[in-house]
Amino acid sequence: MSDGLIYVIFFHILGAVIWIGGMIAVRFAVHPALQHIDEDMTRLARTLEITGRLFGLVFPFIVILIATGLYLAHTFGFSGHTKLSKIVHLKEAIWLVMTLNYAGMVYVRFKAQSYYLASNFLMAKKFLTPIAKYMLPLNIFLGMLAIYFGLVLRGF
Ligand code: HEM
């Protein structure tokens, strides 16, 4: 394997670690701790800040994942209609669903922030709730599937 390829694989794995690891840390470590803040205004402010920082942090790695993934698939010749090329397409589809879900989270967070700034805390909470309840868990699950299929492509 050429030296350069090692860096491409390194950044592919780094993207997976930061995107999925970041979501797991926020959903299962930060989110439960935030619920101990009783005052709505403070809890919502911290939730908006944390989700804003998480989404900003992971964005470049989402781009890095698809760029390095396509490069690796091309370099290893996973094209045509082989079993491995189907797995590459599956990973592309997983990445696309995860990215659309990410964009959805950015949107509902933006709506929540607008309501928060207008002091409508009830609506802000309403928009933030699906992020923790459905959207982050969905992306964590899909991310784990993508890691699994990555190992299948690698041939273990
Ligand atoms: C949700 C996004 C993704 C995650 C979390 C992810 C994760 C991973 C992981 C952990 C590996 C194992 C690396 C190794 O052991 O060498 C891997 C390998 C691989 N991934 Fe992804 N991946 C993602 C998206 C993609 C996409 C979109 C593509 C293709 C367009 C792709 C193509 C590949 C290829 C070709 C390999 C094999 C590399 C090798 O043989 O070393 N990945 N991926």
Side-chain angles (χ1 to χ4, degrees):
M1 189 188 300
S2 74
D3 280 357
L5 212 51
I6 286 178
Y7 294 112
V8 179
I9 295 174
F10 171 79
F11 279 106
H12 196 70
I13 294 175
L14 188 69
V17 168
I18 293 185
W19 191 7
I20 296 150
M23 292 188 299
I24 290 174
V26 165
R27 179 58 187 84
F28 296 107
V30 180
H31 174 71
L34 278 173
Q35 306 319 304
H36 297 305
I37 305 175
D38 290 330
E39 200 202 346
D40 276 356
M41 193 176 154
T42 314
R43 190 182 61 256
L44 288 168
R46 291 290 73 80
T47 306
L48 285 168
E49 183 185 355
I50 289 158
T51 46
R53 284 179 187 274
L54 173 73
F55 296 155
L57 168 77
V58 301
F59 179 73
F61 293 98
I62 295 177
V63 179
I64 285 172
L65 262 175
I66 188 75
T68 52
L70 288 172
Y71 184 87
L72 287 171
H74 177 76
T75 307
F76 290 126
F78 296 151
S79 54
H81 295 283
T82 61
K83 189 175 162 234
L84 289 183
S85 76
K86 285 197 184 103
I87 293 176
V88 169
H89 291 320
L90 192 60
K91 288 196 75 173
E92 285 166 346
I94 293 172
W95 179 90
L96 185 64
V97 175
M98 286 179 70
T99 302
L100 291 174
N101 189 28
Y102 166 85
M105 287 192 273
V106 170
Y107 174 74
V108 292
R109 187 206 160 275
F110 175 76
K111 292 289 284 182
Q113 182 168 262
S114 311
Y115 280 116
Y116 174 83
L117 292 174
S119 300
N120 188 340
F121 301 140
L122 205 69
M123 284 302 282
K125 192 180 166 188
K126 200 177 155 204
F127 272 89
L128 282 174
T129 303
I131 295 183
K133 236 179 171 174
Y134 311 111
M135 298 167 99
L136 278 177
L138 174 68
N139 261 10
I140 291 167
F141 173 73
L142 291 174
M144 287 184 175
L145 271 187
I147 293 173
Y148 172 78
F149 286 120
L151 291 173
V152 175
L153 285 176
R154 172 123 193 128
F156 295 100

